[in-house]
C-alpha cells in the first residue's frame, strides 16, 4: 500500500459535526500520521462529514462526491474517498451503490474505528460501518488537540425525544452521556493547551446525566459548576438544548456561575401549541415562556436565540401568527428559521402538506424581518458598553484588526496587536450591524 500523507476533510452541518471532524483529524494523525490540508488536490484521503437536517442534503453530498471523482480519483485510483456523518448513517451501503467510487462509509459513532476502515479501504476492499457502539467511541479516541482559544467538547450524543420532523435519533442513536470525569479531563487538556472558552456539546445537551466516581450521576448544571472550577477556563457555553429538560437547576447556574456565557440557544420551533403537539415537542408555549422567564431573572440582559420551522404540515395563518407573537413575547434577539422540509423516515414525512410553497416563503420573510428588527435593537443597546472579549484571531477584513466574541455570542472587530490572540480583553462597543460589532480596546484593564 502507498503511504498516506495528507487528509482533506470537508464538514457540513452542526457544531457536533465540527467536533467530530476535529476528532477524525486527531484519530488519523495518530494512526497514520495524516496532516490536514485545505487543498483537496494534494490530499491522499478525502473525507466528507455530512449532515442530513436540511432538504436535499443527500444531493449536496453526491454532488460533492461526483466532483471529487471527476477532479481527482479518476486520475489517481489509489486516492481514498470516504463519507461520514448523518447522511452516511442514513444511507449505509446504499451510498456506495449510487457512488461506487466511495471507498469507506462511517457513522458518527464509529470515527474511532477509522484507522481499521482506512486500512481496509487501502486494500481496495470497501469499508462500511454505521453501527451505534455508543460510549466506545469516546473510550477509543486519542487526547484532543487545541485548535484555538475556544474548544468544543462533546458531553453526550444522540437524542431520545423523537420530534416528528427530526432524523437525529435515527442517525446518531439514543441519548447517552459521557462520565463526568471523562468530560472534565478533556476540558482540562484543552485548558492546558491554551483554550480559554469551552462549549459543551450534545444533540440534547441539557439531558446530560454523567456517571460520577461514587456511583451517582451529575446533570448539566453540576457539570457546568465543575468546569468552572478549572482556572484557565474563562467562559463556558453549551448547546443545543431542548425545552422539556431545561430545569430550574440549569436556569439557576446563570446566577450562580459567572463564567457561564450570557447567551442561551433554546429551540422552540413554533409558537402554536397545536403545531408543537404535531411536532411531538412535549411542551406548550406557556411552559417555554416560563422557563426563559426564570433564566432572564437569573441573568438580566441575557441574549436569547432559537430555532423556528415555518410551514410545518398543517400550519395555518393563525398558527403562524402565534409564532410571530411568541417571538415578541420571548424577546428573541436572533432566530435561525427555515421552511419545513420533510426528512425521509421521520413521522412528519407522512403528514399531508398542502400549504403552497410561496405561502411558506412569504411567512418566512415576515418572520425574518421581525427577527432582524429585534436583532438590530438588541445590538444597538450594546453601543457604549464595555464587553469582555475572547480574542480569536485576525479579523476577516482590515489589516491590524482582530476579532473576538463577547459573552452574548456576538462577534466584535477592533484594532489590536495579534499577540492578544487567545486572551480575554475589554472592548468598548462603538458601532454595530446585525451580525458584527465594532469597538476599541480598553487599555485601562489588564488583559488576561
Amino acid at each position: 500500500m502507498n503511504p498516506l500523507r495528507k487528509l482533506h476533510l470537508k464538514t457540513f452541518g452542526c457544531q457536533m459535526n465540527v467536533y467530530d471532524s476535529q476528532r477524525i483529524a486527531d484519530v488519523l494523525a495518530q494512526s497514520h500520521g495524516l496532516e490536514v490540508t485545505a487543498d483537496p488536490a494534494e490530499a491522499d484521503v478525502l473525507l466528507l462529514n455530512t449532515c442530513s437536517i436540511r432538504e436535499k442534503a443527500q444531493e449536496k453530498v453526491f454532488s460533492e462526491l461526483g466532483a471529487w471523482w471527476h477532479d481527482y480519483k479518476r486520475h489517481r485510483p489509489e486516492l481514498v474517498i470516504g463519507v461520514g456523518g448523518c447522511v452516511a448513517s442514513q444511507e449505509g451501503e446504499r451510498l456506495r451503490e449510487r457512488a461506487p467510487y466511495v471507498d469507506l462509509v462511517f457513522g458518527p459513532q464509529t470515527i474511532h474505528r477509522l484507522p481499521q476502515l482506512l486500512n481496509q479501504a487501502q486494500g481496495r476492499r470497501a469499508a462500511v460501518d454505521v453501527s451505534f457502539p455508543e460510549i466506545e467511541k469516546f473510550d477509543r479516541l486519542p487526547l484532543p488537540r487545541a485548535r484555538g482559544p475556544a474548544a468544543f467538547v462533546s458531553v453526550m450524543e444522540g437524542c431520545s425525544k423523537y420530534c416528528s420532523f427530526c432524523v437525529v435519533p435515527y442517525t446518531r442513536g439514543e441519548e447517552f452521556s459521557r462520565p463526568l470525569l471523562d468530560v472534565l479531563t478533556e476540558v482540562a487538556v484543552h485548558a492546558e493547551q491554551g483554550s480559554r472558552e469551552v462549549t459543551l456539546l450534545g444533540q440534547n445537551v441539557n439531558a446530560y446525566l454523567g456517571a460520577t466516581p461514587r456511583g451517582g450521576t451529575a446533570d448539566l448544571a453540576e457539570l457546568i459548576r465543575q468546569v468552572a472550577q478549572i482556572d484557565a477556563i474563562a467562559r463556558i457555553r453549551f448547546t443545543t438544548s431542548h425545552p422539556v429538560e431545561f430545569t430550574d437547576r440549569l436556569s439557576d447556574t446563570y446566577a450562580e456561575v459567572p463564567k457561564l456565557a450570557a447567551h442561551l440557544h433554546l429551540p422552540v420551533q413554533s409558537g402554536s401549541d397545536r403545531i408543537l403537539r404535531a411536532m411531538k415537542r412535549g411542551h406548550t408555549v406557556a411552559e417555554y415562556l416560563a422557563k426563559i422567564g426564570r433564566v432572564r431573572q437569573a441573568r438580566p440582559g441575557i441574549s436569547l436565540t432559537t430555532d423556528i420551522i415555518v410551514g410545518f404540515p398543517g400550519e395555518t395563518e393563525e398558527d403562524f401568527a402565534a409564532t410571530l407573537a411568541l417571538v415578541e413575547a420571548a424577546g428573541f434577539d436572533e432566530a435561525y428559521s427555515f421552511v419545513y422540509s420533510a426528512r425521509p423516515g421521520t413521522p412528519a414525512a407522512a403528514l399531508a402538506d398542502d400549504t403552497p410553497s410561496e405561502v411558506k416563503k412569504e411567512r418566512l420573510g415576515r418572520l425574518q424581518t421581525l427577527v432582524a428588527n429585534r436583532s438590530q435593537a438588541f445590538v444597538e443597546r450594546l453601543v457604549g458598553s464595555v464587553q469582555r472579549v475572547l480574542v480569536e484571531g485576525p479579523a476577516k477584513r482590515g489589516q491590524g484588526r482582530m476579532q473576538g466574541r463577547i459573552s452574548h455570542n456576538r462577534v466584535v472587530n477592533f484594532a489590536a496587536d495579534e499577540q492578544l490572540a487567545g486572551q480575554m480583553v475589554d472592548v468598548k462597543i462603538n458601532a454595530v450591524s446585525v451580525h458584527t460589532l465594532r469597538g476599541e480596546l480598553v487599555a485601562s484593564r489588564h488583559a488576561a
Side-chain angles (χ1 to χ4, degrees):
M1 293 187 291
N2 295 325
L4 303 174
R5 296 178 300 277
K6 293 195 175 183
L7 164 69
H8 177 74
L9 184 54
K10 186 165 186 176
T11 306
F12 296 136
C14 66
Q15 289 175 316
M16 288 293 293
N17 268 19
V18 173
Y19 173 84
D20 280 348
S21 289
Q22 292 173 350
R23 306 304 277 130
I24 287 168
D26 292 340
V27 167
L28 295 181
Q30 182 185 68
S31 67
H32 287 73
L34 289 183
E35 176 187 348
V36 174
T37 175
D39 183 2
E42 66 178 27
D44 304 290
V45 179
L46 297 174
L47 296 183
L48 198 60
N49 195 9
T50 63
C51 174
S52 58
I53 295 296
R54 299 286 167 248
E55 187 177 13
K56 299 180 180 177
Q58 282 87 343
E59 296 310 311
K60 191 173 183 180
V61 167
F62 286 111
S63 175
E64 188 73 33
L65 291 174
W68 280 357
W69 177 84
H70 182 273
D71 294 342
Y72 311 117
K73 191 171 178 70
R74 69 184 179 124
H75 306 296
R76 296 169 52 206
E78 74 282 1
L79 182 70
V80 175
I81 292 181
V83 183
C86 291
V87 171
S89 184
Q90 277 186 301
E91 296 296 312
E93 289 280 2
R94 293 192 303 272
L95 196 150
R96 290 198 70 258
E97 292 172 8
R98 182 168 171 184
Y101 48 83
V102 170
D103 302 292
L104 64 93
V105 180
F106 58 98
Q109 310 307 339
T110 54
I111 63 176
H112 61 291
R113 297 177 181 173
L114 268 176
Q116 294 76 30
L117 296 173
L118 183 54
N119 288 338
Q120 183 176 331
Q122 271 195 286
R124 303 297 175 89
R125 293 177 297 126
V128 179
D129 188 345
V130 292
S131 58
F132 294 92
E134 297 190 344
I135 206 71
E136 174 192 314
K137 166 183 174 179
F138 296 102
D139 290 341
R140 304 283 181 85
L141 292 175
L143 289 175
R145 292 178 297 163
R147 290 170 171 82
F152 293 141
V153 173
S154 180
V155 306
M156 65 168 297
E157 292 213 7
C159 185
S160 303
K161 292 296 168 289
Y162 289 92
C163 298
S164 64
F165 55 83
C166 186
V167 298
V168 167
Y170 311 103
T171 59
R172 285 186 177 264
E174 294 270 321
E175 293 167 358
F176 64 93
S177 299
R178 298 176 66 188
L180 175 67
L181 285 185
D182 288 6
V183 175
L184 294 175
T185 298
E186 187 167 333
V187 174
V189 169
H190 281 293
E192 289 171 3
Q193 296 176 358
S195 295
R196 304 299 312 281
E197 175 181 298
V198 63
T199 300
L200 307 174
L201 296 177
Q203 268 78 31
N204 180 22
V205 70
N206 51 339
Y208 175 80
L209 284 175
T212 64
R214 296 185 178 182
T217 56
D219 61 6
L220 182 61
E222 178 61 24
L223 175 60
I224 289 170
R225 291 183 174 94
Q226 296 270 354
V227 171
Q229 299 303 310
I230 300 175
D231 289 341
I233 297 299
R235 185 181 290 160
I236 304 166
R237 303 184 188 275
F238 62 89
T239 196
T240 293
S241 291
H242 190 289
V244 167
E245 287 161 323
F246 200 92
T247 64
D248 288 350
R249 272 177 53 82
L250 189 54
S251 295
D252 293 344
T253 60
Y254 281 96
E256 298 164 359
V257 183
K259 289 185 177 182
L260 185 58
H263 171 246
L264 169 62
H265 184 71
L266 189 61
V268 68
Q269 307 302 355
S270 175
S272 161
D273 283 340
R274 191 178 71 85
I275 295 299
L276 289 174
R277 285 193 298 273
M279 290 178 166
K280 300 188 185 304
R281 291 291 285 168
H283 65 87
T284 65
V285 170
E287 288 167 342
Y288 182 91
L289 289 172
K291 288 175 185 287
I292 63 173
R294 186 180 178 104
V295 172
R296 289 196 185 282
Q297 282 186 325
R299 185 72 67 88
I302 192 172
S303 166
L304 181 66
T305 61
T306 196
D307 295 339
I308 295 174
I309 295 172
V310 173
F312 187 82
E315 181 188 76
T316 64
E317 184 61 31
E318 183 180 6
D319 293 320
F320 178 68
T323 296
L324 297 181
L326 174 63
V327 171
E328 295 280 16
F332 300 125
D333 58 90
E334 197 164 26
Y336 303 93
S337 52
F338 307 90
V339 169
Y340 169 78
S341 60
R343 306 271 38 89
T346 61
L351 297 177
D353 184 10
D354 53 6
T355 304
S357 175
E358 58 270 22
V359 173
K360 295 179 182 180
K361 291 178 181 178
E362 187 274 336
R363 288 176 183 169
L364 180 66
R366 276 191 280 159
L367 172 64
Q368 291 181 338
T369 297
L370 173 61
V371 172
N373 290 338
R374 293 201 58 86
S375 184
Q376 185 66 35
F378 177 84
V379 294
E380 285 177 355
R381 291 196 294 272
L382 297 175
V383 174
S385 69
V386 174
Q387 299 290 330
R388 199 70 170 152
V389 174
L390 175 61
V391 186
E392 296 175 345
K396 294 179 181 178
R397 298 178 183 176
Q399 191 172 9
R401 299 186 70 80
M402 300 291 282
Q403 75 173 28
R405 201 169 292 270
I406 68 174
S407 183
H408 301 88
N409 205 34
R410 300 277 179 159
V411 174
V412 58
N413 294 332
F414 54 97
D417 192 287
E418 289 191 11
Q419 292 181 346
L420 288 180
Q423 297 189 43
M424 301 289 291
V425 299
D426 286 334
V427 174
K428 183 178 181 181
I429 308 303
N430 294 329
V432 298
S433 66
V434 171
H435 299 293
T436 307
L437 315 177
R438 293 187 297 278
E440 59 180 336
L441 194 64
V442 177
S444 60
R445 186 171 170 183
H446 186 66

